[in-house]
Amino acid sequence: MRKKIVVGNWKMNNNFQEAEELISTIADDLDEKEIVCEVVICPPSLYLEMASDYAEESVLFIAAQNVSSFDNGAYTGEISASMLSEMEISYCIVGHSERRKYFNETDSQLAEKVNRLLDNNIKPIFCIGEQLDERENGFQFDVVRNQMQKGLFHLNSDEFLNITVAYEPVWAIGTGVVATPNQAQEMHSYIRGLISEKYNDSTAEETTILYGGSCNSDNASILFSNKDVDGGLIGGASLKADEFVKIVMSC
Ligand code: PGA
C-alpha cells in the first residue's frame, strides 16, 4: 500500500531559535497522537543537523530543500547529496517552482539532482506544476508530462520507487488560491497514468503523489480525501505548529 505523507517546507523562514521551537512543538504534539501518515520537515540547510537531532527521538523525518547537481568539488556555496546523507536526511525537495523560477534550474539539472540523491539513498520529492497562463490555455497536462519525462523518466522502475511526486500548480503557491479538489484529483490521476504508461500499474499504484499550493487546515481534509491525493507539501501553513499538526491529522 502506498504511503501517505505530509511535508512541511519552511523555505527561507525562521531564525535558529524559532526553528528549534517550531520543530520541538510539532514533535511533542505529534508524539501524543496516532498518525497514519509519514511527517517530513524541510528546514533551511543550516538547521538540518539540529532538526535531525529532534527527529531521531520523534516520528518526524527530515528533508533538505535543495541539493547540488554535482557530486563534490569546486562548487562554491553548494551542498552535496553525500553531505546531506551524513546528516541522516531521508528526503530532499527537487524542482520546486521557486528554484525553477528564481535560480533558473533546468530539467536536465533536476534530473542530475535526482541521480545524486538516489546515489546517496535520499528520496527525492520531485515538484511539478503548471503556471496560470498554461492552465488558462489548456496546456497543464503537457507541462506536467514534460516535467515528468525530463526530470524522472530516465530512471528505471526500481529507482522510480524511491520517488515522491508533488503536484504544485504554480498559481496556487503562496497565493491563497487553492486548486479545487476536482482539479487536484484530475491532475493526480493523470500523473499516475503517466507513471503506469512509462513503468507499470504497480509502480503507479505505489507512488505517493502530494498536492501543494495554499493547502491549510481548512482545505486539507477535502483535498486529501481524493483517491489519488496522498498527502500534501505545505509551505506557509507549516510555519505554525498547531496549523501544521491539524493538517497532519487530516491525512
Ligand atoms: P504554500 O507553499 O503552501 O505556501 O502555498 C507550498 C509550497 O511552496 O510547497
Side-chain angles (χ1 to χ4, degrees):
M1 213 176 75
R2 66 179 175 256
K3 247 192 277 181
K4 291 192 175 269
I5 310 180
V6 173
V7 184
N9 174 14
W10 291 359
K11 309 192 180 182
M12 196 171 72
N13 290 296
N14 284 339
N15 64 30
F16 189 89
Q17 196 190 331
E18 289 163 342
E20 197 166 22
E21 261 170 46
L22 181 55
I23 196 158
S24 61
T25 311
I26 292 170
D28 290 349
D29 279 9
L30 290 179
D31 278 351
E32 289 166 9
K33 297 195 157 61
E34 208 154 293
I35 48 175
V36 295
C37 62
E38 212 165 279
V39 183
V40 181
I41 302 285
C42 313
S45 320
L46 278 175
Y47 309 157
L48 282 172
E49 193 168 2
M50 172 274 285
S52 56
D53 287 347
Y54 276 98
E56 231 176 280
E57 287 153 28
S58 78
V59 295
L60 301 176
F61 292 84
I62 301 300
Q65 297 177 14
N66 185 30
V67 66
S68 175
S69 56
F70 298 105
D71 258 331
N72 278 297
Y75 302 103
T76 302
E78 291 289 271
I79 296 176
S80 71
S82 64
M83 294 169 185
L84 293 178
S85 75
E86 281 183 300
M87 271 187 284
E88 316 279 327
I89 300 306
S90 315
Y91 292 91
C92 180
I93 298 176
V94 178
H96 191 282
S97 66
E98 288 152 13
R99 299 228 42 106
R100 292 179 191 259
K101 177 176 172 196
Y102 301 123
F103 304 96
N104 303 316
E105 292 191 355
T106 62
D107 289 317
S108 60
Q109 277 173 321
L110 299 178
E112 284 303 317
K113 289 183 183 216
V114 166
N115 294 342
R116 295 294 82 72
L117 291 170
L118 294 180
D119 289 346
N120 286 279
N121 297 317
I122 298 173
K123 296 182 205 119
I125 300 171
F126 193 82
C127 302
I128 54 177
E130 79 285 356
Q131 317 266 349
L132 183 59
D133 63 324
E134 292 165 335
R135 177 167 282 267
E136 283 172 348
N137 290 302
F139 295 138
Q140 65 271 32
F141 298 112
D142 298 336
V143 170
V144 159
R145 187 177 60 244
N146 196 37
Q147 290 170 331
M148 291 288 291
Q149 282 170 344
K150 295 199 168 138
L152 293 176
F153 282 175
H154 61 289
L155 302 175
N156 66 36
S157 59
D158 281 348
E159 290 165 335
F160 193 87
L161 286 172
N162 295 298
I163 302 294
T164 297
V165 177
Y167 169 57
E168 299 205 293
V170 179
W171 45 270
I173 297 178
T175 57
V177 182
V178 65
T180 65
N182 283 347
Q183 285 172 323
Q185 170 55 29
E186 182 185 39
M187 185 58 88
H188 283 229
S189 129
Y190 176 73
I191 295 164
R192 208 175 297 288
L194 291 175
I195 300 167
S196 161
E197 235 170 67
K198 168 71 188 174
Y199 300 103
N200 49 55
D201 283 352
S202 84
T203 305
E205 274 309 308
E206 282 298 306
T207 304
T208 298
I209 308 178
L210 308 178
Y211 169 79
S214 296
C215 186
N216 59 35
S217 63
D218 292 331
N219 57 36
S221 39
I222 177 114
L223 284 162
F224 297 169
S225 67
N226 285 294
K227 88 176 176 37
D228 288 298
V229 179
D230 309 313
L233 176 49
I234 319 298
S238 71
L239 294 169
K240 292 199 187 99
D242 56 341
E243 175 76 3
F244 185 66
V245 168
K246 277 191 208 156
I247 297 171
V248 170
M249 299 314 291
S250 313
C251 203

